[in-house]
Amino acid sequence: MLRDSYNRKISDLRISLTDRCNFRCFYCLPNGEPPLARKETILTFEEIERVARIFVSLGIEKIRLTGGEPLIRRDVPGLVEKLSALKPALSDIALTTNGFDLPRHAAALKSSGLDRVTISLDSLDPKNFADITGVDALGKVLDAIASARELRFDPIKINAVVIRGRNDHEVVDLARFARDNNISMRFIEFMPLDSGHEWDRSLVVSGREIREKIGAAFPLALIEATRGSETSWKYRFADGSPGEIGIIAPVTEMFCGQCSRIRLTADGQIRTCLFSTDEHDLRSVVRSGSSDGEVEEFIRSVVMTKEPRHYINDNSFQPASRTMSFIGG
Ligand code: SAM
Ligand code: SF4
Ligand code: SF4
């Protein structure tokens, strides 16, 4: 089992498949910065399969494929199929996507062994959706949610980053959408990881405020004992309606003490925290002909350097060395 120096169990690996994206979300990649990774620095699917196998042998139980937009990469179902061979030690393979290309790939992803899908949706208003993401694609994302439902991905999770003045007036509508469609709707506080460096505390809508707004329209009941290594507080609708509300409040209700995550960037760098200011070059270790044992040793030593927490709320806060689309959310 992988444990860090604070005795946290590390069981959750997030693999970024690319730092490119076809969206330009205000809170993530607004300026469409040139991709950092070049073709030759991006891990191949064979390399990802090998390191994933080693991570799983060390105790990783869950893998989430993310990006950038992971479905921009060709043949993601082929990768999922390779990762599926690591089950049952690997108990869960998930994907986070903006949904744009999901309908085309959903069936292949399902049959290759993908367990869960999380789709990002920040607005139900076509114009606001386009303003926030830079793409007029609300219909496409709603289609993606429908295709995930048809294929019985369960539960369907939706992520919304809530930003003051942009979509905080929509949280009740999004909660209603969760009720009407039996969706697990997760509201996320805006973190200082945007490439435009527009983050400001005044733009953060706290988890508490989100909870109160939704609760005033639809009374919520906390689902007991759900925090654990989870990052969200989960609520059900008190009137028994279907759907679930998750509140992810990394800024105002830090959950680093329960963190079980480690990340691998598209160009093969291990990040021990979203807010790390340095990275660990797994790609060089893998490409220098290291044995599985040597790769294992490297991963174990890197995990021991995992930061205790983020420092967003400290005066000494140093921005992360990369922004969200390069890290893999
Ligand atoms: N492109 C895919 C998507 O949007 O779902 C996957 C990658 S994206 C970086 C993963 C998640 O990170 C998304 O749900 C997005 O909303 C979230 N995210 C991006 N920037 C963020 C920020 N500055 N603060 C909080 N969450 C953010
Ligand atoms: Fe792309 Fe996802 Fe970032 Fe939006 S949140 S810019 S869809 S990577
Ligand atoms: Fe884990 Fe770092 Fe996120 Fe805290 S900020 S939950 S330590 S990744």
Side-chain angles (χ1 to χ4, degrees):
M1 186 191 293
L2 274 176
R3 283 204 179 266
D4 71 4
S5 61
Y6 301 93
N7 205 29
R8 290 172 298 191
K9 180 182 165 196
I10 306 303
S11 55
D12 183 346
L13 172 65
R14 301 197 155 201
I15 303 177
S16 170
L17 298 187
T18 176
D19 55 27
R20 294 168 190 252
C21 189
N22 48 353
F23 280 20
R24 292 289 171 263
C25 300
F26 162 81
Y27 51 77
C28 181
L29 187 64
N31 304 322
E33 301 205 345
L36 279 184
R38 297 188 306 279
K39 191 167 190 290
E40 60 275 19
T41 62
I42 297 273
L43 293 187
T44 64
F45 282 176
E46 287 69 30
E47 287 169 328
I48 291 178
E49 182 190 3
R50 178 179 177 217
V51 298
R53 175 172 51 74
I54 296 171
F55 267 109
V56 170
S57 75
L58 288 171
I60 289 294
E61 296 162 2
K62 297 180 179 185
I63 290 181
R64 177 171 292 276
L65 303 177
T66 179
E69 175 45 44
L71 293 180
I72 279 189
R73 202 84 187 247
R74 206 178 314 142
D75 196 23
V76 178
L79 174 63
V80 173
E81 192 169 353
K82 289 187 171 111
L83 297 179
S84 291
L86 303 174
K87 292 178 179 178
L90 178 64
S91 61
D92 187 62
I93 307 175
L95 172 81
T96 308
T97 174
N98 61 28
F100 192 87
D101 287 318
L102 185 65
R104 278 202 289 143
H105 301 297
L109 286 165
K110 182 74 179 182
S111 59
S112 59
L114 187 73
D115 296 294
R116 289 184 304 125
V117 64
T118 301
I119 299 168
S120 298
L121 172 69
D122 307 308
S123 170
L124 290 165
D125 166 24
K127 185 172 175 313
N128 202 26
F129 182 97
D131 279 352
I132 292 172
T133 63
V135 183
D136 184 8
L138 175 62
K140 281 254 188 192
V141 177
L142 295 177
D143 288 349
I145 295 168
S147 65
R149 178 182 310 289
E150 270 163 34
L151 288 159
R152 298 183 189 283
F153 281 108
D154 186 37
I156 301 173
K157 285 191 181 173
I158 308 272
N159 281 352
V161 180
V162 185
I163 298 177
R164 192 168 309 283
R166 304 292 292 241
N167 63 348
D168 52 331
H169 61 289
E170 290 199 54
V171 295
V172 170
D173 289 343
L174 287 162
R176 185 178 297 108
F177 183 75
R179 277 165 73 89
D180 293 348
N181 295 284
N182 191 16
I183 275 168
S184 172
M185 183 80 218
R186 296 134 49 91
F187 295 92
I188 307 175
E189 287 179 352
F190 182 24
M191 291 183 276
L193 290 168
D194 54 312
S195 70
H197 305 292
E198 294 288 325
W199 185 87
D200 183 88
R201 197 161 293 279
S202 65
L203 297 175
V204 177
V205 182
S206 71
R208 181 182 177 159
E209 184 178 332
I210 297 167
R211 195 160 39 229
E212 284 174 359
K213 261 192 177 167
I214 297 171
F218 308 115
L220 296 175
L222 185 65
I223 301 173
E224 296 297 341
T226 51
R227 194 88 192 254
S229 69
E230 294 276 325
T231 53
S232 63
W233 295 110
K234 286 188 193 151
Y235 298 85
R236 59 180 177 76
F237 293 104
D239 65 1
S241 292
E244 195 176 280
I245 298 296
I247 306 275
I248 305 180
V251 180
T252 65
E253 298 175 50
M254 181 161 63
F255 42 74
C256 301
Q258 283 84 48
C259 184
S260 57
R261 292 181 183 172
I262 191 156
R263 290 177 166 83
L264 182 61
T265 65
D267 56 354
Q269 308 300 301
I270 300 180
R271 293 185 62 91
T272 47
C273 174
L274 272 178
F275 291 94
S276 292
T277 51
D278 58 1
E279 300 182 335
H280 308 269
D281 190 2
L282 182 63
R283 185 184 75 234
S284 293
V285 174
V286 166
R287 292 190 179 171
S288 65
S290 302
S291 65
D292 285 3
E294 286 164 336
V295 175
E296 266 177 35
E297 247 343 278
F298 180 76
I299 293 172
R300 278 190 200 283
S301 67
V302 166
V303 164
M304 291 308 279
T305 68
K306 185 171 163 67
E307 296 78 346
R309 64 178 177 94
H310 68 63
Y311 298 92
I312 303 174
N313 301 314
D314 294 23
N315 290 334
S316 59
F317 175 63
Q318 298 273 325
S321 56
R322 292 209 229 188
T323 49
M324 191 60 125
S325 64
F326 299 98
I327 297 171

